Amino acid sequence: MPNLSAMRPKRVTGAPTGPGSRALGWGSLRHLVVARMLVASLALPSGLLLRPDVTDRPVTLLALALAAVAVVSVAWILGCRLERGLLAQTAAQLGVDLMLVTWLAAYTGGRGSQFVLFYALVVITGGVLGRVGGGLLAAGGACTGFLLLPMLSAPLGGSEVTAEAFVRPELMVTFLTIVGVLSGVLGERVQRTAGDLARTERELDRVRIDN
């Protein structure tokens, strides 16, 4: 009599690995490119409309920011088509996002800019894609950029007189760190669930073939 326990699909814990995991990673990276374009096209004009006094050239700033997002988006789409260096491309996208947010914030008031909230979006993306490690690395980059804003305003074309910060620097650092950890935990669960679903699908396909 066959051993029924041996026929049951084994549950594998931990992060998914293998071709299925890489396909999921490339799919997530492509979705990030699309999401970035949507956020830029909606949030950038809204941010400048809410506070048009942050710069004397809001139209020029908007055009430059949208052009920068468009250029990097084309580059990321081409990179995703190559499907080479998933980790390097993920890190590069997050790093460029942090640089764009830092430039926008420095140009529009430093720590008091409305665009400093975009740091949280980058940190959440880092956690979802890179799990806890990615979330903490993204949070570290975001905190560094935020703390350096007063020194970067003038070199990056902003006014030497910065706006009053929304929150104190130590609170912002704490907030971004917590967001990095929580988004990383969420990323762990999402990737683990996706791996379990992929394994279950493969087991069902194997059962259909055997029958």
Side-chain angles (χ1 to χ4, degrees):
M1 186 175 179
N3 187 359
L4 296 179
S5 62
M7 299 175 61
R8 297 174 183 168
K10 297 180 179 180
R11 178 178 178 85
V12 182
T13 59
T17 58
S21 174
R22 293 188 64 81
L24 176 63
W26 286 115
S28 300
L29 213 55
R30 294 187 185 95
H31 293 156
L32 174 59
V33 175
V34 177
R36 182 184 296 108
M37 291 188 292
L38 290 175
V39 170
S41 62
L42 295 175
L44 289 177
S46 300
L48 290 176
L49 286 175
L50 289 174
R51 295 186 62 187
D53 57 322
V54 294
T55 176
D56 55 350
R57 295 178 295 176
V59 177
T60 302
L61 175 62
L62 178 61
L64 287 175
L66 292 177
V69 173
V71 169
V72 297
S73 296
V74 171
W76 301 144
I77 290 173
L78 295 176
C80 289
R81 288 186 177 181
L82 294 175
E83 293 192 355
R84 294 290 187 276
L86 176 60
L87 182 60
Q89 288 200 40
T90 303
Q93 290 202 30
L94 294 175
V96 171
D97 287 345
L98 288 174
M99 287 189 289
L100 286 174
V101 173
T102 301
W103 169 67
L104 277 172
Y107 198 89
T108 56
R111 293 177 184 171
S113 169
Q114 65 271 38
F115 294 113
V116 297
L117 298 177
F118 283 10
Y119 279 126
L121 294 179
V122 181
V123 173
I124 291 172
T125 303
V128 172
L129 295 181
R131 301 189 291 274
V132 176
L136 288 176
L137 286 175
C143 292
T144 301
F146 180 79
L147 294 175
L148 292 178
L149 282 176
M151 293 181 289
L152 295 176
S153 293
L156 293 180
S159 174
E160 294 183 359
V161 179
T162 59
E164 184 179 356
F166 287 124
V167 295
R168 291 184 297 180
E170 57 270 22
L171 293 179
M172 187 66 171
V173 169
T174 302
F175 167 71
L176 291 174
T177 303
I178 293 174
V179 169
V181 173
L182 294 179
S183 61
V185 173
L186 175 62
E188 292 271 7
R189 293 183 178 180
V190 169
Q191 295 189 30
R192 186 179 298 113
T193 300
D196 290 342
L197 291 174
R199 283 188 291 271
T200 302
E201 185 178 358
R202 288 195 297 270
E203 291 293 339
L204 292 174
D205 292 339
R206 188 178 298 115
V207 170
R208 294 192 193 100
I209 294 174
D210 292 341
N211 290 338

